[in-house]
Amino acid sequence: MKIIVGVAGGIAAYKTCHLVRNFKESGDEVRVIPTPSALNFVGAATFEALSGNPVRTTVFEAVDEVQHVRLGQEADAVVIAPATADLLSRLAAGRADDLLSATVLVATCPVIVAPAMHTEMWLNPATQANVDTLRRRGITVLEPASGRLTGVDSGPGRLPEAEQIADLARMVVAGAALPRDWEGKRVLITAGGTQENLDPVRYLGNRSSGRQGFALAEVAAQRGARVEVIAGATEDMPAPIGARVRRVVSAREMAQAVAEWSPQADAVIMAAAVADFRPAAQAEAKLKKGGDDAALGTLSLVENPDILRGVVRARERGEIPARVVIAGFAAETGDDTHSALDYGLAKLERKGCDLLMCNEVGVGKVFGERRNRGWLLRSREGQPAEVTELQDASKHVIAGAYLDTLNVALGSRLLQR
């Protein structure tokens, strides 16, 4: 792809260096267009070295090339990170007083904007009005992350990490839009694998990375939802943008957190890989191998609570509202008698949830990977389940398709109230 990376004059401009490298390492052709003030934070030589292309800031450079027209016409995407309050204002007004803003006016490709500024500036009604204007015009304006800002301040307005911006940008370019159709809805998502301790050193776990759950959280938040994530073991990934995260370790801890939060949700998505069993007893000291201690040779296991089924039963008992839509995942492998899809359909019926995504897993499949594929299984009252195959795509694209289908189920639930 031909990607224009725009840079506004904010302290977060240093993160743009990582974004440029991310795109370049994926094989994209990158052209960096900073505003003049952005060069006060990161010099042109840095962006030229990372992108392999010249850096210019005004339409009066290389006039014979008519840069803003050519660059805007040829780009497959424009990604602006960071976008300051000033740049948002100029874009909303349709200004063209530097090379970046002029190029955006010419561009007919997807434009993705990642704001970064102090919390008060982000929440200011003027900024929010500019964001609304840009979104109505079809520009994707990402919600900022929350965290440490310049100085001692902390709050919403932090620029997301480069990998997060790149993942969401690629999702939009792939045709998976980020409409604000989940505005006002509360979504509870579990992610990652649970760990069941054997002793202070060892545990029983699984290969789940948490990537699909975090992708669901990021996409739901970017579509306007208030997202709560209950996260078990995850890879060293930044927290999902716009989501509140609660960390747990074991299946029982996760079950307790889900029970506490699910009554307030509009949708509950169980994307975590929950351990089916746990040791019957946890040793207080490290178990030793050899000698007369056979504890490591023979483990006694007990079954963990079925969290997904438990939420469905709570809805059946009226402990959570009937309008709440409940969805999950089924990590399956086929065998000589049944396919992974067969087992997924059986699990959908057994769990009683509204939606289930079935993945065929194994070494090098799904777990820990950046891409996913499988089937979306939607239950229908008195009818066979609706099966939609999802072709191989990034986990953010899969998350978008999952939420689209969940919207249908949510609408059906709301009509039943």
Side-chain angles (χ1 to χ4, degrees), residues 127-138:
T127 302
Q128 291 300 305
N130 290 329
V131 169
D132 290 342
T133 296
L134 292 172
R135 284 173 173 165
R136 286 197 305 271
R137 293 175 183 166

Side-chain angles (χ1 to χ4, degrees), residues 10-21:
I11 186 63
Y14 76 92
K15 287 187 175 180
T16 311
C17 299
H18 300 287
L19 180 62
V20 173
R21 173 160 286 177

Side-chain angles (χ1 to χ4, degrees), residues 12 42 47 54 96 151 178 181 202 204 265 302 339 351 372 393 395 411:
V42 179
F47 290 133
L178 290 171
D181 55 346
R202 306 176 182 89
L204 298 178
V302 295
S339 68
K351 301 289 187 180
N372 201 350
K395 288 187 173 179

